[in-house]
Amino acid sequence: MQHGDMKPGDWRVGLDIGATKVLGAVVAADGTVIAQARQDTRPGADGVLASATAVLDSLTLRLDGALPPYIGIGVCGIVDRERGAVSHAVNLGIGGDWFPLAARLADRTGATVLIENDVNAATWGAHVLCGADDMAYLSVGTGLAAGFVLSGALRRGAHGAAAEIGHLPGNPDGPRCSCGQRGCLELSASGSTLAAAWPGDGSAPPAAALFAAAAAGNAGAVIIRDRFAAGLADAIRIAGLAVGPDAIIIGGGVANVGEPLLEAVTAALRAQAAGSPFLTALDLASRVSLLPGQAAAGAIGAALIGNA
Ligand SMILES: [Zn+2]
């Protein structure tokens, strides 16, 4: 790989700490990944710390012992950036007590460590990779969350979590959501909903299995896929109408389905726009894309987000 005039002194480290794996990347200022490492995530605060440390050790080896002195972390849950702490990261086995992840990693590495909500980190990674200054990022994973970059700045929100677009109620007569409301968008447009409706046989992720079955003509799969695509199109329409972004980028585990997901969602957006000259003129479908560099966007964003 050619790094041009990118100097190691400008490199940063990003860690994307998810429920199943910790992905670490050494990143240049333009988002180029210099080195990567990953480990399975061990549960609980001490497990997360051990997994993150192991990833940093691998990266240090790959860089011949010299890790950049700046580490950014994207982690799920509620994040207090000032305290460098995380809580309520249910998928990581971190409960209601604040865990000072940044300070613990700073003690071990001697680096400056900043911590960020994982959806915000991925949003910033999408911004770096796509270059749009006004964009919405939709994370379609277990749940449905959003992040926004507006006029080139990350919209962090006031409470340490990303925009909870998944808990906008779209259908007041719909089923009860875990949040206590009825008919939330997340109930029709999330990976957990897809997995419940189409568990598959375990040989492939449920979303991939569903889209493959639908493409093969399975009528039940087509119905579930189209219902899901319509729900995701609702979320895109809300984000699009609320903030008018240039780009609407879909990431998260379900985005690994790839082009068939994009085709289903843009078809749903065009179906929703049919009969509305207003929506047709906005042409939201033309602004939707899949997150490029999907696997590393969270780590790239965590590395580069700084105090953006
Ligand atoms: Zn809800």
Side-chain angles (χ1 to χ4, degrees), residues 45-162:
D46 289 339
V48 167
L49 187 63
S51 307
T53 303
V55 168
L56 292 173
D57 288 346
S58 310
L59 290 172
T60 304
L61 281 177
R62 272 169 222 196
L63 296 181
D64 297 329
L67 204 63
Y70 175 95
I71 299 169
I73 299 170
V75 63
C76 60
I78 298 177
V79 168
D80 184 331
R81 296 173 62 244
E82 307 279 306
R83 296 161 68 180
V86 57
S87 70
H88 294 96
V90 180
N91 294 337
L92 301 176
I94 294 175
D97 294 334
W98 288 103
F99 176 57
L101 179 59
R104 300 284 292 274
L105 276 178
D107 286 346
R108 291 194 175 199
T109 60
T112 299
V113 182
L114 290 186
I115 184 171
E116 186 71 56
N117 172 271
D118 63 340
V119 176
N120 283 343
T123 300
W124 195 251
H127 164 68
V128 169
L129 294 169
C130 302
D133 276 343
D134 279 284
M135 53 152 282
Y137 171 69
L138 289 179
S139 174
V140 193
T142 308
L144 174 66
F148 294 97
V149 172
L150 303 173
S151 303
L154 182 71
R155 165 66 193 171
R156 277 199 172 86
H159 298 284

Side-chain angles (χ1 to χ4, degrees), residues 167 177 179 184:
H167 294 291
C177 178
C179 75
C184 291

Side-chain angles (χ1 to χ4, degrees), residues 1 22 31 37 39 56 64 110 121 133 147 174 204 221 228 243 251 258 275 280:
M1 188 188 295
V22 177
Q39 291 274 332
L56 292 173
D64 297 329
D133 276 343
F228 169 81
V243 300
T280 300

Side-chain angles (χ1 to χ4, degrees), residues 183-199:
C184 291
L185 285 174
E186 184 168 298
L187 296 175
S188 51
S190 67
S192 52
T193 299
L194 275 187
W198 194 268

Side-chain angles (χ1 to χ4, degrees), residues 233 236-237 240-241 244-248 265-274 276-289:
I236 289 167
R237 186 166 44 160
L241 293 178
D246 273 339
I248 300 159
V265 169
T266 52
L269 282 164
R270 294 201 166 97
Q272 289 176 350
S276 166
F278 168 65
L279 278 181
T280 300
L282 290 177
D283 194 12
L284 291 171
S286 70
R287 301 187 226 167
V288 177
S289 61

